Amino acid sequence: MLSAIVGINWGDEGKGRMVDLLSESYDVVVRYQGGNNAGHTVINHLGKFILNLMPSGILRPEVVNVMGNGMVIDLEHLHKEMGKLIAAGVKITPDNLKISDRAIICLPYHVMQDCLEEERLADAKYGSTRRGIAPVYGDKYMKKGIRVGDLLQPEALKKRLKGIVEWKNLTIEKVYGAKPVSYEDIWNWLETYGNPIKDFICDTSLYLDQAEKAGKKIMFEAQLGALRDIDFGIYPFTSSSNTIAAYAPIGSGIPNHKLHNVVGVMKAYSTCVGEGPFTCELFGKEADDLREAGGEYGAATGRPRRVGPFDVPASRYGVRVQGADEIALTKLDVLSGFEKIPVCVAYDVHGKQVKEFPFGADLDDAKPVIEYVDGWNCDVSKCRKPEDLPKAAMDYIKMIEEAVGCKIKYVSVGAEREEYIEF
C-alpha cells in the first residue's frame, strides 16, 4: 500500500496532523519535496511540535521516516530541529530516520540570495519565506547543487565546492552588489552540520524499493498544497517544487512504483500564507474573527495567514490535480461560533460567472461569488461519530463533498490526535 497525504489548496491545510494520525497504520513515512519553508504542526501526548523538515511520522517510534531525493535540506535547520525533538523525548536514530544521498543541500548562500532577491523586488516580491528554497532548486536544475551524499566523499566535494562558490559569487557581487561568500566559511558550515548526520545518509531509493516489495505500508507526506505547485499552482506565487501526489514516487526515489491511494487535506474554510491571488479573501473584522478562532499564523514563519470562506472552484481544482481518492476535512470546529457561514461557490471574471479555476490574469481579476449556509452554532469538539454532529454541520460536510466531487472520509474537530470523526 502506497498512500499520499497532500494539500488541496494553498498549504497549511493540516497535513501534519493527518499524517500523525494515520501513520499509526503505516511502516514508513516519506517527505518527497520541499525544504524548511513550511511547517507541519502536530499535537500529541509528547507536546506540540512544528516540523519543518522532518517527516511527521517521526513522532511514532515504530515508524521509519525517509527524507527523499526531491527535498532540499538546510543542514543547520535540520540539526536544530532534530535537537529539539530529541530533547522532547523523541527517538531519532539511523534505524528510524533515513536521509537520501540524492537530496540537495540548501546552503547559506541560497538563503542570502533569496533575501537579496526579495529585497530587490520590493513591492513586486513573491512572498518568499527567505529560506533559500527558490535559489537552491534553481541551482539543482543548473547542475550546481551539492547533494547530501557528497558529504561522504569530502575530497571530491572540496574540489567541486570551490568552483561553485566562485560561480555563485558572480551573482552575489556583480548582480546584487553584496559581499562575497567565503569558500572556507561554507566548508566549515558543511563540516559542522553535515558530520553529525552522516550515519543517517543512505540510498533511500533502494531502501524504499525493498520495503515495498516486502509488503511494507508506505505513506508519502507532501509539503504545501496544489495551488503552490510549481506547474499547477498560482505561478509565479508558488513554491519551487512539485507538491502534487503524482510526484511522490519520483521525489521519494521509487518512480517504478505507483500510488494506491491519495488523501487530500483541506480546511473547512480557506487560508493562505504569502503573496499571490486569493480570490475568496476576507478583510476587516470578519477576517480577524476567523483568523483568531482558527489560530491562523504560519507554522514556519509566524506570519498571519490570509483567511476566507471555503473556496469551491479552488478546491475542486485541487482535488483534480492531486487525483484525490478521499478527503480529510480539518478544523470544522473553528466554524462552530458562526450563525451564518459564507461559501465561495464561483468566481466572477469580467462579468461572467465561472466555476472552474482560472488561469493567469483572469485569476488576478476574479471576484468571489458568495452564498451563505446555516451554521450549527454549537461546540462539535466532543463529537466522535457522524451521528454526533448537528444536522447543519452534516449538511455543510455533504455540501462540500458534492461541490468538490470527492468523498470526505475524515473530519477533524480539534487539534488532538483523537479529535476526529471517520465516515
Side-chain angles (χ1 to χ4, degrees):
M1 170 66 77
L2 303 182
S3 299
I5 310 291
V6 296
I8 294 300
N9 299 121
W10 296 265
D12 305 305
E13 297 95 345
K15 295 179 294 299
R17 182 252 195 280
M18 292 310 302
V19 172
D20 178 62
L21 172 67
L22 300 177
S23 59
E24 182 179 24
S25 303
Y26 285 79
D27 303 295
V28 183
V29 173
V30 189
R31 267 283 306 273
Y32 62 88
Q33 46 76 222
N36 60 323
N37 53 318
H40 289 174
T41 302
V42 177
I43 300 173
N44 58 32
H45 67 287
L46 293 172
K48 179 179 179 179
F49 300 92
I50 296 176
L51 306 174
N52 299 127
L53 285 169
M54 300 290 283
S56 299
I58 199 68
L59 300 173
R60 292 191 180 275
E62 70 280 8
V63 172
V64 176
N65 294 266
V66 173
M67 301 174 72
N69 56 273
M71 289 188 69
V72 289
I73 301 174
D74 182 322
L75 301 179
E76 183 175 357
H77 191 103
L78 178 62
H79 178 81
K80 293 175 180 177
E81 191 169 320
M82 289 173 69
K84 289 179 181 178
L85 288 167
I86 291 169
V90 178
K91 182 189 79 169
I92 303 178
T93 72
D95 290 329
N96 76 327
L97 176 64
K98 301 182 184 298
I99 304 174
S100 172
D101 52 6
R102 296 174 184 270
I104 299 291
I105 297 173
C106 185
L107 289 144
Y109 54 68
H110 293 124
V111 178
M112 179 183 183
Q113 188 177 347
D114 201 358
C115 295
L116 289 169
E117 178 61 10
E118 282 289 279
E119 289 165 8
R120 186 192 71 81
L121 288 169
D123 292 342
K125 63 184 182 296
Y126 295 145
S128 167
T129 56
R130 299 181 177 229
R131 295 194 171 180
I133 306 304
V136 69
Y137 272 113
D139 282 6
K140 174 180 178 175
Y141 291 104
M142 290 279 287
K143 281 80 75 180
K144 302 290 188 182
I146 300 294
R147 298 193 291 183
V148 172
D150 293 333
L151 295 170
L152 304 179
Q153 301 172 342
E155 293 309 311
L157 174 55
K158 283 180 181 179
K159 293 177 183 178
R160 191 156 181 271
L161 181 64
K162 287 179 180 177
I164 291 176
V165 169
E166 182 180 346
W167 168 77
K168 183 60 67 174
N169 276 333
L170 293 174
T171 300
I172 291 172
E173 288 187 275
K174 299 186 184 301
V175 174
Y176 296 109
K179 184 179 177 181
V181 297
S182 159
Y183 161 79
E184 288 76 16
D185 288 346
I186 298 298
W187 178 252
N188 289 336
W189 185 90
L190 284 168
E191 284 198 310
T192 300
Y193 298 108
N195 287 341
I197 68 157
K198 285 184 176 179
D199 290 343
F200 296 86
I201 302 169
C202 65
D203 184 348
T204 56
S205 175
L206 180 61
Y207 168 78
L208 290 171
D209 185 63
Q210 292 175 340
E212 201 280 336
K213 289 175 179 175
K216 300 289 186 182
K217 295 182 70 177
I218 302 173
M219 176 186 291
F220 302 94
E221 177 182 10
Q223 174 216 54
L224 298 170
L227 301 180
R228 296 297 188 189
D229 183 88
I230 187 67
D231 287 315
F232 299 100
I234 51 172
Y235 191 87
F237 302 99
T238 63
S239 189
S240 299
S241 60
N242 287 109
T243 63
I244 59 170
Y247 185 72
I250 298 169
S252 300
I254 48 172
N256 52 322
H257 295 279
K258 296 180 181 179
L259 293 174
H260 300 112
N261 188 51
V262 176
V263 179
V265 186
M266 59 191 189
K267 283 177 182 167
Y269 52 95
S270 298
T271 62
C272 174
V273 172
E275 305 295 327
F278 183 42
T279 303
C280 67
E281 185 169 10
L282 294 174
F283 299 93
K285 186 178 184 303
E286 198 173 10
D288 293 339
D289 290 346
L290 181 55
R291 184 179 298 108
E292 292 305 314
E296 297 299 348
Y297 297 89
T301 63
R303 290 184 293 182
R305 292 179 181 136
R306 300 157 70 187
V307 297
F310 186 83
D311 188 317
V312 172
S315 300
R316 187 190 298 118
Y317 174 76
V319 166
R320 174 165 65 84
V321 298
Q322 289 288 18
D325 297 298
E326 54 196 30
I327 294 295
L329 187 70
T330 61
K331 290 200 170 184
L332 184 72
D333 54 302
V334 172
L335 299 180
S336 293
F338 293 83
E339 195 167 318
K340 290 287 185 178
I341 300 173
V343 179
C344 177
V345 297
Y347 293 165
D348 182 307
V349 181
H350 308 304
K352 180 180 178 182
Q353 193 170 119
V354 299
K355 294 189 175 181
E356 296 301 326
F357 196 66
F359 172 83
D362 284 346
L363 185 59
D364 295 333
D365 296 331
K367 296 177 176 59
V369 177
I370 303 293
E371 293 182 1
Y372 286 84
V373 299
D374 290 335
W376 42 97
N377 208 25
C378 65
D379 182 24
V380 296
S381 63
K382 303 295 188 238
C383 298
R384 296 294 178 268
K385 296 177 292 188
E387 53 265 33
D388 294 338
L389 288 168
K391 181 179 183 301
M394 280 297 299
D395 289 344
Y396 187 72
I397 292 167
K398 289 177 181 176
M399 178 271 296
I400 290 176
E401 190 175 70
E402 291 174 6
V404 302
C406 189
K407 173 181 171 54
I408 294 176
K409 186 172 182 179
Y410 306 97
V411 174
S412 80
V413 292
E416 302 286 344
R417 264 183 184 167
E418 70 278 3
E419 293 179 331
Y420 78 101
I421 300 167
E422 184 171 352
F423 286 73

